[in-house]
């Protein structure tokens, strides 16, 4: 089936938040710093805020009892979008943002229902990314289907904070136990019910019959459904069916069903959910509270997103003269101002060495004159020492001098130098409420930079030998408001070494979800090359069509008129001089229109720091809105401080590091360490000559949709859950290309490059399946490789007589 992307756009309306830095902490048994953010496209509705408060309040008490008086919700911030009217009770946020929120309120990722779910793709015990509630779920009565909203929140919170998994399985709802009985996939087995096939339903009444056993599989027939009894005595488990009134606990070692073919058993080696929970960081900080009093009621802060304010704080110390760093910085900043920062943002500029200078207070980016005013003040020469704190203080002043608050404003701090005085301004940074994104340029950049990002919820990047590294880092620092159609998207970012008098050629696909505000940029190290760019309809743009930078920072830029043509663009570059030189090609764009959701890619590592020989996992999420995109070629490029690059193909095969097959999350273990220090991450996702697909199937890690209950011997049914028909489950996606930078990570304890001694064993096989084929049992599994999941992936098959 092939659908135009336009046809399915109405199915998904929002961007997923990427790699995020949660502000949650546990203090005296209470969770503080929880952020619940409402998407900008959700219509204003006072009832939504009220219902969120009621849900969290109910969940707090339920959580307190479920954790045996250890944890409850104390302080919660609700982030109101700029699209809503201002009110006196709305205050300004600090580091809170939509893209970094723990819970998002957004329209459904499908038109097929309002199932609450958690984006969770890590290993057992690892935190999830965010919880997604739809406005409809929060505004309508779903009690018979999911149970109370507070109970649902606790179910999803367990996914998010403790990295546990569901104890049901919609794909394998029944299994054969060791006692040779057919059991519903559940935990605990003390939950009772009946197994029926629905023959027909009218209103709330249905005709049913008992399930029949399939002679081939030994299980019940395919359309058999487990209907729980409304009255139960079992107290567990919240990760199976929190909607039952009796269920108030998680499965423990005593009640856990180790036989059930569910994700909890698969991912956590058949450990109970409670066993995983009690080993979490949260529980280590929360011994049981004494007494019998209930927990205090949660307190709520209502925060309203403000206009974006960014101040660039750039290093111009003497060390920036080496390796063309000043030029590279100015090229990247120019691209950021012209192509990345959203129109209407307020931008200031500070430069620093031993002292700091405010070059520009905040200027509203509305047209070319605005960014020209800032670009004209970019540093031409580098000299002096490095005082990062003075740069930050001047950045704060540039913001306040423009009658803006530092709270919620952003600082982009770039430096290549060492500075042992950074800690002296940590308190000032903390009190400012600003978000600080750091870019470490070269191996000597101050080691404390990451602390600034970590304490303020900012991004952290590292750029070194990769001459496009700075451009890629700046391209990633876009708005966190949740308005994806306003954000810039990288289609191409390539460094090219070209010999004298030679041509070099390339292509870039422009898909139908993008094309607005499209730029093609070429940089060079010695002499401007001859440039030829051709669109899919044959229109040519020559060197004379490109605008060369006035500041002589060796950049030529073309803004494509109107909307860029959909299809494959080709470029040809001629090095006109006799000697070799380095060229770079960058292409950026935005969504085709305010109603067109683009395909996006985000990337991150499983941890920001690791100690050898602990491996880390590379993750990339490719999606259109909240819909996963499957069948994409995804490659991670990881660079160490010594300039060594590793290219790693990422897989969405459900084996090795990958949790679930075909969920749009591509991952691999990374073990190819080359010394200690910072490592950068960049990901290229592309669909070329290999059809990618948009998945319209249901999300995993969600509250179970209950088909009905048995009450006094009679089945009371809920409305059937809207389902995606199999022939409509996927839509073909045209060719596309996306580049994105992940945040940097730090390695310690590694031996020198080329002398790694630790041998990593193969990963556990997670998809072993047995099927009956005549008089044989056929076993199948994915064999991912010899070293963790490194090696050639293969499907294995074994038949047993």
């Amino acid at each position: 089936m092939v659908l135009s992307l336009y046809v399915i756009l109405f199915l998904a309306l929002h961007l997923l938040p990427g790699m995020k830095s949660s502000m949650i902490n546990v203090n005296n048994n209470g969770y503080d710093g929880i952020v619940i953010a409402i998407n900008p496209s959700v219509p204003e509705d006072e009832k939504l805020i009220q219902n969120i408060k009621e849900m969290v309040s109910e969940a707090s008490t339920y959580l307190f009892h479920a954790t045996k008086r250890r944890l409850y919700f104390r302080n919660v911030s609700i982030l109101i979008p700029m699209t809503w009217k201002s009110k006196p009770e709305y205050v300004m946020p600090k580091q809170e943002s939509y893209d970094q929120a723990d819970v998002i309120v957004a329209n459904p990722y499908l038109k097929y229902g309002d199932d609450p779910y958690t984006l969770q793709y890590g290993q057992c015990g690892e935190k999830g990314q965010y919880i997604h509630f739809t406005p409809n779920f929060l505004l309508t009565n779903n009690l018979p289907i999911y149970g109370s909203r507070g109970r649902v929140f606790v179910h999803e919170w367990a996914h998010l904070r403790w990295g546990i998994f569901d104890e049901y399985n919609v794909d394998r709802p029944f299994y054969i136990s060791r006692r040779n009985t057919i059991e519903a996939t559940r935990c605990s087995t003390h939950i009772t019910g009946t197994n029926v096939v629905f023959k027909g339903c009218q209103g709330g009444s249905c005709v049913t019959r008992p399930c029949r056993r399939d002679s081939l599989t030994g299980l019940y027939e395919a359309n058999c459904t487990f209907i729980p009894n409304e009255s139960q005595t079992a107290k567990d488990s919240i990760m199976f069916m929190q909607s039952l009134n009796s269920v108030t606990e998680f499965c423990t070692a005593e009640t856990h069903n180790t036989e059930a073919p569910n994700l909890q058993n698969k991912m956590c080696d058949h450990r109970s959910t409670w066993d995983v929970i009690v080993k979490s960081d949260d529980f280590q900080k929360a011994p049981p509270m004494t007494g019998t009093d209930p927990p205090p009621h949660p307190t709520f802060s209502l925060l309203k997103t403000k206009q974006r304010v960014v101040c660039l704080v750039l290093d111009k110390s003497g060390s920036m003269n080496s390796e063309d760093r000043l030029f590279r910085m100015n090229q990247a900043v120019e691209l950021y101002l012209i192509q990345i920062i959203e129109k209407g943002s307020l931008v200031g500029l500070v430069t620093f060495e031993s002292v700091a200078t405010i070059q520009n207070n905040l200027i509203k980016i509305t047209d070319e004159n605005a960014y020209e005013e800032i670009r004209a003040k970019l540093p031409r020469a580098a000299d002096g020492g490095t005082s990062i704190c003075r740069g930050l203080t001047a950045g704060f002043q540039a913001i306040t001098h423009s009658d803006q608050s530092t709270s919620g404003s952003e600082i982009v701090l770039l430096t290549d130098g060492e500075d042992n005085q950074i800690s002296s301004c940590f308190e000032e940074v903390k009190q400012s409420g600003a978000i600080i994104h750091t870019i470490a340029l070269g191996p000597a950049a101050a080691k404390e930079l990451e602390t600034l990002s970590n304490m303020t919820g900012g991004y952290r990047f590292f750029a070194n030998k990769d001459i496009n590294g700075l451009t890629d880092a700046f391209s990633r620092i876009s708005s966190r408001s949740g308005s994806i159609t306003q954000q810039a998207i990288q289609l191409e970012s390539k460094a090219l070494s070209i010999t004298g008098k030679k041509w070099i050629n390339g292509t870039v696909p422009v898909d139908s979800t993008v094309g607005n505000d499209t730029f093609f940029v070429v940089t060079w190290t010695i002499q401007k090359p001859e440039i030829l760019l051709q669109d899919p309809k044959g229109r040519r743009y020559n060197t004379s069509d490109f605008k060369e930078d006035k500041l002589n920072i060796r950049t030529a830029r073309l803004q494509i008129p109107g909307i860029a043509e959909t299809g494959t663009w080709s470029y040809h570059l001629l090095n006109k001089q006799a000697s070799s030189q380095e060229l770079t090609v960058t292409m950026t764009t935005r969504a085709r229109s305010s109603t067109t959701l683009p395909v996006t890619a985000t990337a991150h590592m499983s941890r920001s720091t690791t100690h050898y020989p602990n491996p880390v996992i590379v993750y990339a999420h490719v999606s259109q809105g909240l819909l996963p995109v499957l069948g994409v070629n995804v490659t991670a490029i990881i660079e160490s401080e010594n300039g060594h690059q590793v290219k790693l193909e990422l897989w969405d095969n459900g084996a090795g590091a990958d949790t679930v097959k075909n969920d749009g999350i591509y991952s691999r273990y990374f073990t190819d360490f080359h010394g200690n220090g910072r490592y950068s991450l960049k990901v290229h996702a592309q669909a070329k000559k290999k059809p990618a697909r948009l998945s319209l199937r249901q999300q995993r890690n969600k509250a179970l949709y209950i088909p009905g209950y048995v009450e006094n011997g009679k089945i009371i049914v809920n409305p059937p859950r809207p389902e995606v028909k199999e022939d409509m489950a996927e839509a073909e996606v045209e060719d596309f290309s996306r580049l994105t930078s992940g945040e940097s990570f730090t390695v310690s304890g590694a031996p020198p490059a080329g002398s790694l001694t630790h041998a990593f064993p193969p990963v556990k096989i997670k998809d072993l399946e047995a099927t009956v084929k005549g008089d044989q049992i056929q076993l199948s599994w994915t064999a991912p490789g010899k070293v963790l999941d490194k090696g050639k992936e293969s499907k294995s098959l074994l038949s047993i007589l």
Side-chain angles (χ1 to χ4, degrees):
M1 180 194 69
V2 179
L3 292 178
S4 163
L5 288 177
Y6 291 116
V7 175
I8 44 78
L9 284 178
F10 71 96
L11 300 179
L13 297 174
H14 307 283
L15 169 74
L16 85 150
M19 168 59 175
K20 65 185 195 58
S21 176
S22 176
M23 301 168 66
I24 296 173
N25 64 82
V26 177
N27 185 19
N28 293 329
N29 298 91
Y31 280 113
D32 294 332
I34 302 165
V35 178
I36 300 175
I38 301 171
N39 191 276
S41 63
V42 172
E44 186 166 358
D45 192 330
E46 275 288 329
K47 188 67 175 173
L48 201 56
I49 296 174
Q50 185 58 37
N51 285 6
I52 290 171
K53 291 180 178 180
E54 291 174 1
M55 175 183 69
V56 174
S57 298
E58 180 200 356
S60 183
T61 302
Y62 189 58
L63 177 72
F64 188 65
H65 293 298
T67 58
K68 306 186 191 309
R69 301 182 60 82
R70 285 176 172 86
L71 292 163
Y72 66 95
F73 299 126
R74 178 166 39 214
N75 292 310
V76 179
S77 295
I78 301 175
L79 189 61
I80 312 297
M82 277 186 66
T83 50
W84 289 26
K85 296 175 183 176
S86 295
K87 295 188 176 181
E89 61 267 32
Y90 296 168
V91 298
M92 194 173 294
K94 290 188 176 180
Q95 287 93 19
E96 299 87 355
S97 68
Y98 180 86
D99 280 8
Q100 303 292 305
D102 308 293
V103 181
I104 62 170
V105 178
N107 289 320
Y109 87 111
L110 282 177
K111 69 174 183 178
Y112 298 102
D114 296 288
D115 289 344
Y117 72 91
T118 301
L119 184 66
Q120 175 193 15
Y121 47 77
Q123 304 301 300
C124 180
E126 293 184 359
K127 294 177 176 63
Q129 298 300 299
Y130 63 85
I131 297 168
H132 175 200
F133 293 123
T134 69
N136 194 49
F137 170 80
L138 292 168
L139 293 171
T140 59
N141 178 20
N142 301 288
L143 189 64
I145 297 172
Y146 304 105
S148 69
R149 285 189 283 263
R151 285 174 170 245
V152 171
F153 189 29
V154 172
H155 176 101
E156 300 306 329
W157 188 260
H159 285 304
L160 182 74
R161 287 299 295 181
W162 306 322
I164 58 177
F165 298 86
D166 289 321
E167 292 171 322
Y168 61 84
N169 188 337
V170 294
D171 298 323
R172 295 185 62 187
F174 297 96
Y175 68 97
I176 299 174
S177 73
R178 293 191 184 99
R179 302 188 305 276
N180 201 32
T181 59
I182 302 177
E183 298 287 344
T185 301
R186 67 198 191 282
C187 192
S188 70
T189 55
H190 297 136
I191 291 178
T192 58
T194 186
N195 306 312
V196 298
V197 172
F198 289 99
K199 296 177 68 177
C201 297
Q202 189 169 7
S205 178
C206 292
V207 177
T208 64
R209 63 169 173 80
C211 297
R212 300 188 183 109
R213 196 161 188 160
D214 186 310
S215 59
L216 185 63
T217 65
L219 294 167
Y220 288 134
E221 56 196 303
N223 53 349
C224 182
T225 303
F226 174 74
I227 307 295
N229 293 326
E230 196 274 337
S231 178
Q232 303 272 352
T233 58
K235 293 184 178 181
D236 41 22
S237 168
I238 291 170
M239 299 313 291
F240 172 59
M241 201 174 282
Q242 76 288 327
S243 58
L244 296 172
N245 288 333
S246 67
V247 170
T248 56
E249 298 177 359
F250 296 95
C251 267
T252 64
E254 291 73 29
T255 59
H256 181 57
N257 179 6
T258 59
E259 296 182 308
N262 55 37
L263 205 54
Q264 173 63 25
N265 280 330
K266 175 183 174 180
M267 294 301 301
C268 297
D269 293 325
H270 300 270
R271 294 162 59 198
S272 72
T273 53
W274 185 250
D275 182 51
V276 178
I277 291 169
V278 296
K279 291 178 172 57
S280 68
D281 293 340
D282 293 351
F283 265 55
Q284 306 311 307
K285 304 171 186 174
M289 293 176 65
T290 58
T292 58
D293 293 338
H297 289 291
T299 59
F300 297 92
S301 302
L302 301 181
L303 314 177
K304 188 168 187 292
T305 305
K306 69 170 192 173
Q307 180 182 25
R308 193 176 187 204
V309 174
V310 179
C311 186
L312 304 173
V313 178
L314 307 178
D315 188 348
K316 59 178 285 292
S317 61
S319 55
M320 290 291 288
N321 278 317
S322 64
E323 299 182 356
D324 242 3
R325 287 176 182 167
L326 197 71
F327 255 95
R328 289 165 56 198
M329 178 184 76
N330 287 343
Q331 286 174 338
V333 170
E334 181 186 57
L335 180 138
Y336 183 70
L337 291 171
I338 298 173
Q339 300 173 222
I340 307 300
I341 191 75
E342 296 79 13
K343 295 292 187 292
S345 301
L346 298 173
V347 181
L349 175 64
V350 166
T351 57
F352 70 93
E353 21 95 10
S354 300
V355 296
T357 304
I358 299 175
Q359 303 291 351
N360 291 98
N361 288 320
L362 298 180
I363 297 173
K364 190 171 185 178
I365 303 297
T366 53
D367 54 24
E368 186 174 344
N369 293 331
Y371 59 70
E372 286 284 3
E373 189 176 344
I374 301 172
R375 190 171 59 166
K377 297 291 183 68
L378 290 173
R380 305 290 199 282
D383 189 29
T386 304
S387 177
I388 291 171
C389 283
R390 286 178 178 170
L392 291 174
T393 299
F396 298 147
Q397 291 170 352
I399 294 169
T400 56
H401 290 173
S402 305
D403 296 324
Q404 293 290 321
S405 170
T406 56
S407 184
S409 296
E410 298 169 69
I411 297 280
V412 179
L413 169 65
L414 183 151
T415 183
D416 75 334
E418 296 184 9
D419 182 356
N420 58 12
Q421 299 295 315
I422 295 182
S423 59
S424 65
C425 59
F426 281 175
E427 187 58 31
E428 180 185 10
V429 167
K430 185 178 178 181
Q431 293 301 320
S432 73
I435 300 163
I436 299 181
H437 311 296
T438 58
I439 302 175
L441 178 56
K447 303 304 178 186
E448 298 82 4
L449 276 181
E450 283 78 6
T451 304
L452 292 170
S453 294
N454 293 340
M455 69 191 293
T456 63
Y459 295 128
R460 59 186 182 279
F461 298 103
F462 168 60
N464 192 17
K465 300 293 185 183
D466 181 357
I467 61 174
N468 260 16
L470 274 182
T471 295
D472 297 335
F474 272 101
S475 297
R476 180 69 177 82
I477 306 174
S478 55
S479 167
R480 298 180 175 194
S481 68
S483 297
I484 176 59
T485 57
Q486 297 178 13
Q487 296 177 3
I489 295 168
Q490 270 188 297
L491 304 183
E492 181 68 292
S493 174
K494 187 174 288 186
L496 306 165
S497 182
I498 181 170
T499 56
K501 305 297 183 180
K502 295 292 184 181
W503 284 92
I504 196 163
N505 309 313
T507 59
V508 185
V510 175
D511 58 276
S512 61
T513 70
V514 295
N516 188 35
D517 200 26
T518 304
F519 288 86
F520 190 88
V521 181
V522 177
T523 71
W524 56 92
T525 52
I526 302 173
Q527 183 184 12
K528 182 180 180 180
E530 188 72 26
I531 306 170
L532 173 61
L533 177 68
Q534 182 171 302
D535 77 10
K537 289 188 174 180
R539 179 178 177 181
R540 293 188 170 198
Y541 300 92
N542 299 308
T543 308
S544 58
D545 296 312
F546 283 71
K547 185 176 181 181
E548 191 168 349
D549 180 78
K550 298 175 183 177
L551 301 181
N552 190 30
I553 55 176
R554 305 191 288 255
T555 301
R557 174 177 285 100
L558 171 69
Q559 182 171 15
I560 308 300
I563 302 294
E565 291 288 345
T566 297
T568 300
W569 289 64
S570 59
Y571 59 87
H572 313 273
L573 306 174
L574 170 65
N575 182 8
K576 295 186 291 186
Q577 64 160 22
S579 58
S580 299
Q581 68 169 328
E582 296 286 330
L583 307 179
T584 72
V585 172
T586 305
M587 193 170 186
T588 65
T589 188
R590 298 184 198 270
R592 183 160 291 258
S593 72
S594 60
T595 58
T596 302
L597 285 175
V599 173
T600 60
T602 59
H604 70 92
M605 305 299 294
S606 57
R607 292 192 297 274
S608 59
T609 60
T610 190
H611 187 83
Y612 181 83
N614 296 316
V616 286
I617 299 173
V618 191
Y619 292 111
H621 192 158
V622 187
S623 64
Q624 186 182 11
L626 294 171
L627 294 172
V629 181
L630 315 180
V632 183
N633 293 318
V634 182
T635 303
I637 302 99
I638 298 170
E639 183 183 5
S640 62
E641 280 193 358
N642 63 14
H644 179 82
Q645 278 196 357
V646 174
K647 290 189 176 181
L648 190 63
E649 184 181 351
L650 307 186
W651 298 332
D652 183 15
N653 61 357
D658 196 58
T659 304
V660 175
K661 183 178 181 179
N662 288 339
D663 62 352
I665 309 295
Y666 299 77
S667 57
R668 283 288 291 282
Y669 282 102
F670 175 72
T671 59
D672 196 359
F673 302 112
H674 277 251
N676 295 319
R678 296 183 175 103
Y679 285 65
S680 65
L681 168 65
K682 183 163 59 177
V683 162
H684 188 193
Q686 58 182 334
K688 286 185 178 181
K689 301 177 183 177
K690 175 188 175 185
R693 295 108 57 209
L694 198 63
S695 174
L696 310 183
R697 291 184 174 90
Q698 303 170 22
Q699 275 280 10
R700 296 177 183 266
N701 306 314
K702 65 182 190 302
L704 183 60
Y705 191 103
I706 310 302
Y709 298 91
V710 179
E711 189 174 340
N712 299 322
K714 182 181 178 182
I715 295 177
I716 309 298
V717 296
N718 287 320
R721 189 191 188 284
E723 298 290 346
V724 182
K725 293 180 181 179
E726 192 58 34
D727 64 344
M728 293 285 290
E730 293 181 356
E732 192 170 306
V733 177
E734 66 213 288
D735 287 359
F736 69 86
S737 174
R738 298 292 185 269
L739 270 292
T740 186
S741 287
E743 295 186 68
S744 59
F745 63 102
T746 305
V747 175
S748 61
S755 59
L756 299 183
T757 57
H758 186 81
F760 295 95
V763 292
K764 182 181 71 172
I765 293 171
K766 296 189 293 188
D767 61 349
L768 178 65
E769 290 190 357
T771 54
V772 177
K773 298 286 185 181
D775 59 351
Q776 295 182 332
I777 298 175
Q778 198 169 75
L779 304 179
S780 62
W781 66 94
T782 302
K786 292 182 179 180
V787 179
L788 292 175
D789 57 5
K790 187 177 182 180
K792 187 172 177 60
E793 174 198 2
S794 63
K795 296 295 290 187
S796 299
L797 198 64
L798 175 66
S799 295
I800 303 173
L801 294 175

